[in-house]
Amino acid sequence: MKTAEILKRLVQLSHELGREDRQLAILGEGNVSADLGDGTFYIKASGSPLATIDGGGFTRVNMSPVFEALDQPDKTDDEVRKVLETCRVDKKAKLPSVETFLHAICLKEGGAKWVGHAHPVSVLKILCSKLGAEPFRRHIFPDEIVVCGRHLAIVPYVDPGIRLAVALRKSLRLFRNKYDTSPRVILMVNHGPVVLGQTNRDVLSLMLMLDKWASLLAGIYAVGEPQFLEEKNSDRIENRPDEHYRRRAIGRLK
Ligand SMILES: [Zn+2]
């Protein structure tokens, strides 16, 4: 896909995620990125609102300096800013998001081509509760497994920026060691989700299904306890051939 087409789709995806009625992100919240396949990627510039962003709200950055910076995560705020300034392909472009480090890891180590991060009201109702990410370890309906996957990766609360990216990398590697694949959803406790897709459509599907799942959980906890699916039934959904077909049909698998 041409760079201009990827940028166009990033803008479209941002508008979908930033829609006021969806309550996934307001003001400058959230960010999206896409791999350009040549050692660079597009990432939202710092502070740009998803709802109204245009092509100028994205910055193309080099993967290498971003990745090298992760070897020394104890950087001062000024040093982090320096990395964000120097990683830009076009030095006149806006400063990329402070979550550039996190996106770089998802694109390089998480097997993703497109990445989305938001602060959905529904998901934060759970992640900011005493339960944290625990309710998402089991399932309550089949389609959340089909779209979001049987298991999600979880990251404890860490200061946003380079330290959070390092914590996320650790959780991604643990997940890969355990399940021999990358997660489609990463939940950052007291912060929000990151979704890993192969296409722009994947990112939106993942975020919308996760939002539905979390809305259901929040409503269920308001009246009682969830009736979780049995583990064997959740495993069955994940492995059924017809569910693989459905997953492809919604754009999850190539
Ligand atoms: Zn965030």
Side-chain angles (χ1 to χ4, degrees):
M1 197 185 298
K2 289 205 173 85
T3 303
E5 179 62 23
I6 291 176
L7 185 58
K8 192 175 127 199
R9 292 188 189 195
L10 275 168
V11 171
Q12 286 169 346
L13 173 62
S14 300
H15 293 171
E16 293 284 348
L17 293 175
R19 264 174 53 174
E20 200 174 341
D21 58 321
R22 288 194 166 138
Q23 297 198 303
L24 304 172
I26 60 167
L27 308 174
E29 284 185 322
N31 30 65
V32 293
S33 65
D35 193 4
L36 294 171
D38 63 350
T40 71
F41 62 100
Y42 269 128
I43 172 90
K44 196 192 86 167
S46 185
S48 302
L50 286 176
T52 56
I53 201 166
D54 60 20
F58 287 90
T59 301
R60 188 174 185 173
V61 303
N62 289 302
M63 182 73 84
S64 309
V66 176
F67 235 73
E68 281 160 21
L70 294 165
D71 293 336
Q72 292 172 305
D74 290 330
K75 289 186 174 3
T76 63
D77 290 346
D78 283 346
E79 286 168 335
V80 169
R81 190 186 166 90
K82 193 91 195 137
V83 176
L84 293 174
E85 281 171 359
T86 53
C87 72
R88 291 173 298 181
V89 172
D90 173 2
K91 300 296 181 244
K92 292 195 286 296
K94 291 178 182 164
L95 202 66
S97 163
V98 73
E99 302 300 12
T100 295
F101 303 100
L102 179 154
H103 283 260
I105 287 170
C106 293
L107 293 170
K108 193 164 177 181
E109 283 197 25
K113 295 273 178 280
W114 292 73
V115 177
H117 165 55
H119 301 160
V121 171
S122 57
V123 184
L124 293 189
K125 279 179 184 172
I126 313 284
L127 288 184
C128 301
S129 75
K130 294 270 190 199
L131 294 173
E134 285 305 309
F136 294 99
R137 288 188 189 276
R138 289 186 284 170
H139 293 278
I140 50 175
F141 67 106
D143 274 7
E144 74 192 35
I145 304 170
V146 174
V147 177
C148 299
R150 174 72 177 86
H151 304 283
L152 313 189
I154 294 167
V155 184
Y157 182 79
V158 179
D159 191 35
I162 197 162
R163 290 171 193 83
L164 175 58
V166 170
L168 181 135
R169 178 164 68 177
K170 187 176 164 196
S171 132
L172 206 55
R173 286 177 178 176
L174 286 171
F175 190 98
R176 287 191 72 93
N177 284 340
K178 194 166 176 189
Y179 302 112
D180 200 26
T181 186
S182 293
R184 293 174 223 153
V185 176
I186 303 171
L187 296 175
M188 304 187 292
V189 175
N190 282 99
H191 184 163
V194 180
V195 299
L196 286 69
Q198 296 304 306
T199 66
N200 52 323
R201 195 171 153 211
D202 280 352
V203 170
L204 183 62
S205 300
L206 283 162
M207 201 64 89
L208 291 179
M209 186 59 80
L210 180 65
D211 173 56
K212 176 169 185 168
W213 180 5
S215 297
L216 285 169
L217 279 174
I220 291 164
Y221 277 112
V223 295
E225 287 288 314
Q227 180 65 58
F228 288 111
L229 292 175
E230 285 184 43
E231 300 287 307
K232 66 173 194 305
N233 289 333
S234 294
D235 290 340
R236 164 95 178 118
I237 297 289
E238 174 78 349
N239 297 319
R240 273 168 63 149
D242 56 334
E243 296 296 4
H244 283 278
Y245 172 79
R246 287 216 294 148
R247 197 170 289 158
R248 271 195 301 277
I250 57 165
R252 254 305 311 158
L253 297 176
K254 290 231 156 185

